[in-house]
């Protein structure tokens, strides 16, 4: 008798379980991607709103009058006090103000970092969000930025003196904190997907066990008939109301026909 390399129930089990694993992975990746995008979008939206509020809180005349060497001036302290409120209560990493020079470059003005504040006149890197702010639109950078202080999302808003934009407020949100929140969500997704895989495995083992048992019952009866010494008085008893019962009834009719002959 020819020996098959793999039982049909094993094939069914593997095909279905592989399909479940692939579906689970795709579902998990899709959910994680959408959650991350939604989460980052919300953080960016909140930081843009906060930057806009800080930009309105800063006195434009004070900011416009700050120049190199003015770290102890009243104008500098006025701006510093205004943005410090947001640093201390807004849950942000850094907040600072920026000026655009006539040659199109950017420099720091007032930096609220309590540990290592940038000096007035230090070069500031241009970004799409900063450009938009100096065009009058509060905006966030399209991508996170990595520098010597770490990885963060930055948002900017213009500061006005009358109708003129005299600078911008910048806010940095730490990507480390954001990634920690995302990692927690992703871990939850992995746990849920793992539970689904485990339950699927249990169900598939039960189903393939059921199929294998009934296949064996039918196969044993057919083998019993074909060896020439089969007991024609015993019929197959399957009362599951499914295809196995239909096949069993057909074999039983065949047995009765042989017995009548």
């Amino acid at each position: 008798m020819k020996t098959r390399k793999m039982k049909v129930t094993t094939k069914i089990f593997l095909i279905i379980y592989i399909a479940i694993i692939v579906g689970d992975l795709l579902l998990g990746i899709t959910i994680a991607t959408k959650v991350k995008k939604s989460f980052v979008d919300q953080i960016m939206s909140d930081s843009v709103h906060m930057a806009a509020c800080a930009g309105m809180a800063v006195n434009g005349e004070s900011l416009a009058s700050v120049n190199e060497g003015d770290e102890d001036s009243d104008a500098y302290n006025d701006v510093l006090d205004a943005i410090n409120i947001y640093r201390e209560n807004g849950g942000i990493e850094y907040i600072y103000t920026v000026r655009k020079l006539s040659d199109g470059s950017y420099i720091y003005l007032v930096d609220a970092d309590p540990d290592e504040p940038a000096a007035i006149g230090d070069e500031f890197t241009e970004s799409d969000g900063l450009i938009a702010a100096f065009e009058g639109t509060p905006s966030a950078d399209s991508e996170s930025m990595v520098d010597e202080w770490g990885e963060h999302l930055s948002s900017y808003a213009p500061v006005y003196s009358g109708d003129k934009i005299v600078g911008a407020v910048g806010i940095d949100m730490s990507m480390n904190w954001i990634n920690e929140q995302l990692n927690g969500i992703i871990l939850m997704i992995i746990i849920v997907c793992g539970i689904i895989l485990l339950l699927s495995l249990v169900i598939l083992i039960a189903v393939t066990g059921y199929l294998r048992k009934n296949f064996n019952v039918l196969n044993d009866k057919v083998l019993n008939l074909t060896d020439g010494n089969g007991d024609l008085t015993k019929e197959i008893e399957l009362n599951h109301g499914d295809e196995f019962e239909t096949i069993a009834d057909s074999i039983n009719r065949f047995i009765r026909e042989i017995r009548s002959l």
Side-chain angles (χ1 to χ4, degrees), residues 212-227:
R212 187 178 293 112
K213 177 183 177 181
N214 287 286
F215 276 137
N216 289 337
V217 170
L218 297 175
N219 188 59
D220 289 346
K221 189 62 178 179
V222 171
L223 290 176
N224 185 256
L225 293 174
T226 56
D227 67 4

Side-chain angles (χ1 to χ4, degrees), residues 4-237:
R4 294 181 175 83
K5 295 182 179 180
M6 185 180 295
K7 295 181 179 180
V8 66
T9 51
T10 304
K11 291 180 180 179
I12 292 173
F13 175 87
L14 290 177
I15 291 172
I16 295 177
Y17 200 61
I18 289 172
I20 291 173
I21 292 174
V22 172
D24 217 18
L25 287 174
L26 291 176
L27 179 62
I29 292 171
T30 300
I31 293 174
T33 302
K34 288 185 176 295
V35 167
K36 180 178 181 179
K37 183 178 184 306
S38 175
F39 191 71
V40 172
D41 288 347
Q42 184 61 50
I43 293 294
M44 291 175 68
S45 176
D46 291 344
S47 66
V48 169
H49 179 71
M50 192 178 301
C53 292
M56 290 186 290
V58 171
N59 187 309
E61 293 181 2
S62 296
L63 186 66
S65 65
V66 173
N67 294 296
E68 290 188 39
D70 288 345
E71 281 83 0
D72 294 325
S73 66
D74 291 339
Y76 182 94
N77 289 324
D78 181 38
V79 175
L80 182 61
D81 289 342
I83 62 177
N84 254 334
I85 295 174
Y86 291 87
R87 182 185 65 81
E88 295 170 354
N89 302 289
I92 60 180
E93 187 177 22
Y94 302 111
I95 183 168
Y96 44 84
T97 58
V98 181
R99 174 180 290 165
K100 183 177 182 180
L101 301 180
S102 57
D103 62 0
S105 62
Y106 299 89
I107 60 171
Y108 281 98
L109 286 180
V110 181
D111 184 1
D113 185 355
D115 299 320
E116 298 180 6
I120 300 173
D122 283 355
E123 182 181 354
F124 190 87
T125 304
E126 179 183 276
S127 65
D128 52 349
L130 184 62
I131 293 172
F134 274 95
E135 292 174 350
T137 304
S139 182
D141 289 340
S142 56
E143 296 180 355
S144 62
M145 181 178 292
V146 179
D147 56 23
E148 58 186 296
W149 294 284
E151 183 181 5
H152 37 254
L153 287 171
S154 300
S155 299
Y156 306 92
V159 177
Y160 288 89
S161 178
D163 295 331
K164 181 181 179 182
I165 297 176
V166 295
V169 172
I171 284 179
D172 293 344
M173 303 290 291
S174 174
M175 278 298 294
N176 292 333
W177 180 84
I178 294 172
N179 288 332
E180 286 176 4
Q181 307 306 310
L182 290 173
N183 288 339
I185 295 172
I186 291 172
L187 178 61
M188 186 181 300
I189 293 172
I190 291 174
I191 292 173
V192 172
C193 290
I195 292 173
I196 292 174
L197 287 177
L198 182 60
L199 291 176
S200 300
L201 179 63
V202 173
I203 293 171
L204 276 176
I205 289 174
V207 171
T208 53
Y210 169 82
L211 293 175
R212 187 178 293 112
K213 177 183 177 181
N214 287 286
F215 276 137
N216 289 337
V217 170
L218 297 175
N219 188 59
D220 289 346
K221 189 62 178 179
V222 171
L223 290 176
N224 185 256
L225 293 174
T226 56
D227 67 4
N229 298 312
D231 186 352
L232 299 181
T233 64
K234 293 183 178 179
E235 297 184 355
I236 303 173
E237 296 183 2

